[in-house]
Amino acid sequence: MLSIAWHTLRTRWVAFTGSFVALALGVALLAVMGQALAASLGAPARVPERFAAAPVIVRGQDVLRVATPAGERTADLARPRPVPAGTVAALRALGPVTEDRSFPVRTSQAEDAPAAPGNLVGHPWSTARFAPYGLTAGRAPEAADEVVVSGGWTTVGARLRTADGPLRVVGTVHGLGFENAVFYSDAQAARLAPSVVQLVVEADAAAVRAAVADDGVRVLTGSSRRLADADPGRDAEALTGLNALFGTAGGVTAFVSVFVVASTFAFAVDRRRREFALLRTVGATPGQVRRTVLAEALFVGVLASATGCALGAYGAPVLGDLVVEGGLAPGWYAIGGPGTGVWPYHLAFWTGLSVALGGALAASWRAGRTAPAQALREAAVDGRALTRGRRVWGAALLLTAVATLAYALATDPGDLLHRKTYVVRPMLLITAVALLSPALVRLLLPRLPGVVGLLARAHAVAGIRRSAAVAAPVLVTVALAGSLLGATATLDEARADEARRQTSADFVVTPRDGATLPARDVERLRQVPGTLVSATSATSVYTLEDGVALMKSEARAADPRLLAQTARLPVTAGELADLDDGSIVVTGEWARHRVGQRVPVWLGDGTARTLRIVAVLAVGTGAYGAYVTPANAGGAGVDRVAVRVRPGADPAAVAAGLRAVGGVRVMDEAQWARAGRPEPNRTTLLGLLLVLGIALAHTGISLANTLVMAAAERRPALRALRLAGATSAQILRLAATETLAVVGAGALLGLLVTTVNLAGMSAALRLLSAPSALVVPWTAVGCTTGACALLALAASLTTTATALRHPPSREHGVRGAAGKARWRARTLTDEYAPRD
């Protein structure tokens, strides 16, 4: 049977080309994603930047440590504690101590220099020598309005306008690449940022550790000094995003590859019924027929997987360069380096081979199950397109999809809002609908007007297996595009609606730089005539659930009396007005969420408290969490101010007064609702586009392969039409009409899957008290359907035009009008005979 399989591949290479290309592309993508994941498993050891020349750094407590029966649990604090004054005094006895401060510098523009970067950060000048920064021009700052800046965006003598007053540039230093620094005199920096979170000690490290052993601070030396730099965990966060990106893309690649290869093999086996019938007639056993099909899949799988691994080795470095250039990965990130190893290639190769064999397994079973006495009779006409196996598996998967959705809605509707869930869940429903597609496509095929429309529908229904094979990849692509992009759009719309419903303020004021508002600016806002001002702070609280899990919850700190007048929070139990310094407002997601319960928590700075629950909020989209008073904010600064216009006051005058405060952004209610719609995450957006690109590429390959394989069986009908007097243009129009009708049916099935998936998410939002209409991404669905239609039309018209090159009478030796009539009648009967 191996020799038969080999000769079949040689003579029917066109039929296997699509499977080969689809599988090779899938293996290549898997190899690339595997190498990308391997390259993101660990970041290189980052060297200290701001404190490269500092001997010892002492940093206030920035990690919460909680002892549990299962061991110590840790979490990064939302706001590190300042170094205690007693510790600073003890350290000064050991050697020189330099206090470090970092704060945002909000500047509009330089008066006589180019516009300033938008991410300026201020430091005391005494810390510049630890980077080290060296003066390239000018001198050190001395007066309160003098600064030294890094980089080449301005020059000595330039004047800057900032929220803290005008500044004069008296010196410049080379930029070191990791920040845009503005150095103040030490005295002015202390006035702008009084808190000292870390400091540099020029003394022996052992002596420093001995001096601070019981103070809860951290002593950083050597490579650990990098933890004193801004955002030391940015590499880990970037790698987490890359893992999610490439993991999702790899999973979808595997799913689409299995789907395309399995459907391609199934269609190829169905088109070879007469061939298998002859093998069964001459004595081939069912096992031999099945082994022939599996041997063909083995040959194709080995060659395609090897080719895919070679393509993956070439494409991986290119992908690494693209994600770095796009700002999605750190500059050091590279794919395909010496540390990657060979496991991504093993994973891709054996996965590809397994996909090929798995995709051919069901087809081989169908090929070998026909009894010898029935072989030739079954080869003469199509059997049922919707076989028992397809009905059973399709119904089982459909019931599973519905049951798991209902279970999630009943037990944990919030799980449906997670990215992993709304990426994976559509695949179950897509597979179920694809298995049932022969019956569904027949129902969805439109009744088109005219002779061409009538013939197009009749041809599509007569070859329902071919129609289903064309519609299935369209279903996958449209369903993925609609479900993935629609899920993010629906969530964004829900968050915007939630922000609109939960504010009763006329204006919302936030800092332009995204940091916090200085106390003097908050006071200036309160002094605007005709306003009621509620200032809130973003913080975190930590709880120990089940005695072993240390959980971090986002929280906001606010005056409860003012909060009640500027916000409409979804309280499900208790009273918001009862909030005080000894209590907390929680959401229904908390393990303890009954009014009156006392819950041990740790504040944003690690302070342990036991607070009483006075109110419970609906879960919503998860955009908000607990509420505490400013006394429990853990030292967090104000980052949002809600403003109500008092009765009788002029809203325009109030808005003008608010905007007079420098460095703030003033939004009315509608603008705030729009701001509540989060900006698309670049990594997430790229991942979705990559997933859709993979699906569309496989769709094009599958459509072309299916239509090429079906070209041979369509030739009798085309010849009959030509003998009946149809022109080549009319036949091409017939092929185009049939193709568009089938693609449209597949797109409708994809839209059906999209609607069901988005309806489940919308129901989850309603259960979470965040009702929002589902958002179907019509643009994406339309573009995806259009691309599928273009691909299918190109393949269909090409194969049809090729079949029309030879006159039917000469090709078949038909002579005379009577002979042509008999041949035409027989051809049409074979082509349009009922087959299901």
Side-chain angles (χ1 to χ4, degrees):
M1 302 309 290
L2 289 178
S3 62
I4 294 176
W6 172 246
H7 286 296
T8 302
L9 288 175
R10 290 179 58 190
T11 56
R12 293 181 176 270
W13 63 270
V14 174
F16 292 97
T17 299
S19 300
F20 176 87
V21 174
L23 191 58
L25 176 61
V27 171
L29 290 171
L30 285 176
V32 171
M33 301 309 163
Q35 293 179 80
L37 289 174
S40 65
L41 292 179
R46 181 175 287 276
V47 298
E49 295 174 331
R50 279 195 62 219
F51 299 98
V56 181
I57 301 171
V58 175
R59 183 172 173 84
Q61 181 182 351
D62 57 1
V63 175
L64 175 63
R65 303 180 185 277
V66 178
T68 71
E72 186 180 66
R73 297 290 183 263
T74 63
D76 292 335
L77 290 174
R79 184 176 177 85
R81 291 184 178 181
V83 180
T87 301
V88 176
L91 293 173
R92 291 190 187 279
L94 301 177
V97 173
T98 304
E99 297 178 345
D100 178 49
R101 295 175 170 85
S102 297
F103 49 91
V105 178
R106 293 172 291 174
T107 178
S108 54
Q109 70 178 61
E111 294 181 353
D112 51 2
N119 56 345
L120 295 177
V121 57
H123 302 298
W125 172 248
S126 60
T127 63
R129 60 193 177 98
F130 297 120
Y133 285 103
L135 282 170
T136 57
R139 58 175 176 82
E142 297 174 355
D145 64 342
E146 295 179 348
V147 293
V148 171
V149 299
S150 68
W153 60 272
T154 189
T155 58
V156 174
R159 294 185 178 275
L160 311 177
R161 289 199 299 267
T162 72
D164 300 312
L167 299 175
R168 183 162 50 94
V169 178
V170 298
T172 60
V173 295
H174 282 303
L176 299 182
F178 56 85
E179 66 176 354
N180 293 310
V182 177
F183 293 99
Y184 292 74
S185 66
D186 287 13
Q188 179 65 6
R191 283 192 291 270
L192 296 176
S195 178
V196 178
V197 175
Q198 58 192 19
L199 45 83
V200 178
V201 183
E202 299 178 60
D204 180 69
V208 172
R209 288 192 177 91
V212 301
D214 299 326
D215 295 339
V217 299
R218 300 177 69 184
V219 178
L220 307 177
T221 59
S223 61
S224 64
R225 291 171 299 169
R226 71 184 187 281
L227 300 177
D229 292 330
D231 195 12
R234 60 186 180 275
D235 287 346
E237 294 173 0
L239 294 183
T240 300
L242 289 175
N243 281 330
L245 166 65
F246 296 130
T248 300
V252 173
T253 298
F255 169 75
V256 177
S257 298
V258 171
F259 190 94
V260 169
V261 173
S263 59
T264 300
F265 268 101
F267 183 71
V269 169
D270 182 71
R271 296 304 92 185
R272 294 165 59 192
R273 290 192 309 276
R274 184 177 297 275
E275 176 184 327
F276 293 133
L278 291 174
L279 289 175
R280 294 286 286 119
T281 302
V282 298
T285 66
Q288 288 175 320
V289 174
R290 291 175 188 133
R291 285 195 295 273
T292 300
V293 175
L294 289 176
E296 295 168 357
L298 179 64
F299 285 133
V300 173
V302 170
L303 292 175
S305 297
T307 303
C309 288
L311 292 175
Y314 175 79
V318 177
L319 178 62
D321 294 339
L322 289 176
V323 296
V324 171
E325 291 174 4
L328 300 176
W332 51 262
Y333 183 76
I335 303 178
T340 302
V342 297
W343 69 262
Y345 296 102
H346 278 288
L347 177 65
F349 180 87
W350 295 111
T351 299
L353 187 57
S354 300
V355 165
L357 295 176
L361 186 61
S364 67
W365 179 263
R366 178 174 176 80
R369 71 181 181 179
T370 306
Q374 300 173 339
L376 291 176
R377 184 171 69 250
E378 184 175 333
V381 296
D382 267 342
R384 288 183 303 178
L386 191 61
T387 61
R388 173 187 284 183
R390 293 183 76 118
R391 289 200 305 271
V392 171
W393 283 104
L397 289 176
L398 186 62
L399 290 175
T400 302
V402 173
T404 54
L405 176 61
Y407 180 78
L409 291 173
T411 58
D412 185 14
D415 182 62
L416 296 176
L417 308 184
H418 297 160
R419 185 177 63 178
K420 289 183 179 179
T421 301
Y422 67 69
V423 168
V424 175
R425 182 171 289 278
M427 298 180 187
L428 189 63
L429 192 57
I430 288 172
T431 307
V433 175
L435 288 173
L436 301 174
S437 60
L440 298 175
V441 168
R442 182 195 299 274
L443 296 175
L444 293 176
L445 283 173
R447 296 186 179 276
L448 301 173
V451 175
V452 171
L454 178 64
L455 286 177
R457 189 180 189 280
H459 196 245
V461 170
I464 193 64
R465 287 177 178 168
R466 177 183 65 247
S467 299
V470 172
V474 178
L475 154 68
V476 174
T477 308
V478 173
L480 285 177
S483 297
L484 300 185
L485 297 179
T488 57
T490 300
L491 278 176
D492 291 346
E493 185 65 25
R495 293 188 178 107
D497 290 343
E498 190 176 59
R500 185 183 302 111
R501 289 192 307 269
Q502 291 181 8
T503 181
S504 57
D506 298 298
F507 300 99
V508 177
V509 182
T510 59
R512 286 190 178 276
D513 55 16
T516 58
L517 291 171
R520 61 181 181 279
D521 288 349
V522 176
E523 187 59 32
R524 289 178 62 189
L525 293 172
R526 288 196 175 102
Q527 291 175 0
V528 174
T531 60
L532 176 69
V533 174
S534 173
T536 63
S537 306
T539 184
S540 300
V541 292
Y542 305 83
T543 57
L544 194 64
E545 293 189 359
D546 300 325
V548 293
L550 187 60
M551 306 297 295
K552 177 182 179 181
S553 298
E554 302 299 326
R556 297 205 68 83
D559 183 316
R561 180 183 59 83
L562 297 174
L563 180 66
Q565 299 182 62
T566 57
R568 293 187 292 263
L569 298 181
V571 178
T572 60
E575 294 291 338
L576 189 63
D578 293 338
L579 180 65
D580 56 25
D581 293 345
S583 60
I584 187 173
V585 175
V586 303
T587 70
E589 283 186 314
W590 282 48
R592 297 185 183 183
H593 56 269
R594 191 173 69 247
V595 174
Q597 283 185 309
R598 302 188 69 85
V599 54
V601 300
W602 289 265
L603 305 181
D605 62 354
T607 302
R609 296 290 305 274
T610 298
L611 302 176
R612 183 182 75 263
I613 298 175
V614 296
V616 180
L617 306 179
V619 176
T621 63
Y624 59 91
Y627 281 83
V628 295
T629 60
N632 294 322
V638 173
D639 66 339
R640 185 190 306 169
V641 177
V643 180
R644 284 284 300 273
V645 178
R646 294 184 182 275
D650 182 11
V654 168
L658 297 175
R659 292 189 177 94
V661 179
V664 300
R665 180 186 179 190
V666 180
M667 294 171 282
D668 59 25
E669 186 177 1
Q671 291 171 330
W672 172 245
R674 288 194 296 270
R677 187 188 304 272
E679 292 293 329
N681 182 278
R682 293 187 63 197
T683 303
T684 301
L685 183 59
L686 179 61
L688 295 179
L689 294 178
L690 181 61
V691 165
L692 297 180
I694 292 169
L696 189 59
H698 281 85
T699 295
I701 295 169
S702 179
L703 289 174
N705 191 53
T706 300
L707 292 170
V708 167
M709 285 192 297
E713 70 176 20
R714 298 183 62 185
R715 286 175 183 170
L718 298 181
R719 297 187 190 104
L721 289 171
R722 293 185 68 186
L723 289 172
T727 65
S728 297
Q730 290 173 324
I731 294 175
L732 289 174
R733 191 159 59 249
L734 169 64
T737 303
E738 179 193 347
T739 300
L740 291 178
V742 175
V743 169
L748 287 176
L749 289 177
L751 186 60
L752 175 64
V753 172
T754 296
T755 304
V756 173
N757 283 314
L758 297 184
M761 177 174 285
S762 181
L765 289 168
R766 290 184 179 277
L767 292 174
L768 296 171
S769 300
S772 177
L774 60 87
V775 180
V776 179
W778 293 111
T779 301
V781 170
C783 291
T784 304
T785 303
C788 292
L790 288 176
L791 292 171
L793 273 177
S796 176
L797 294 179
T798 300
T799 55
T800 303
T802 302
L804 292 174
R805 289 179 180 176
H806 305 290
S809 58
R810 288 203 310 269
E811 189 170 338
H812 286 270
V814 179
R815 295 292 184 269
K820 292 180 181 179
R822 287 193 301 272
W823 183 88
R824 180 170 62 251
R826 185 172 62 253
T827 302
L828 288 172
T829 301
D830 290 343
E831 177 63 20
Y832 295 107
R835 303 186 180 190
D836 297 290

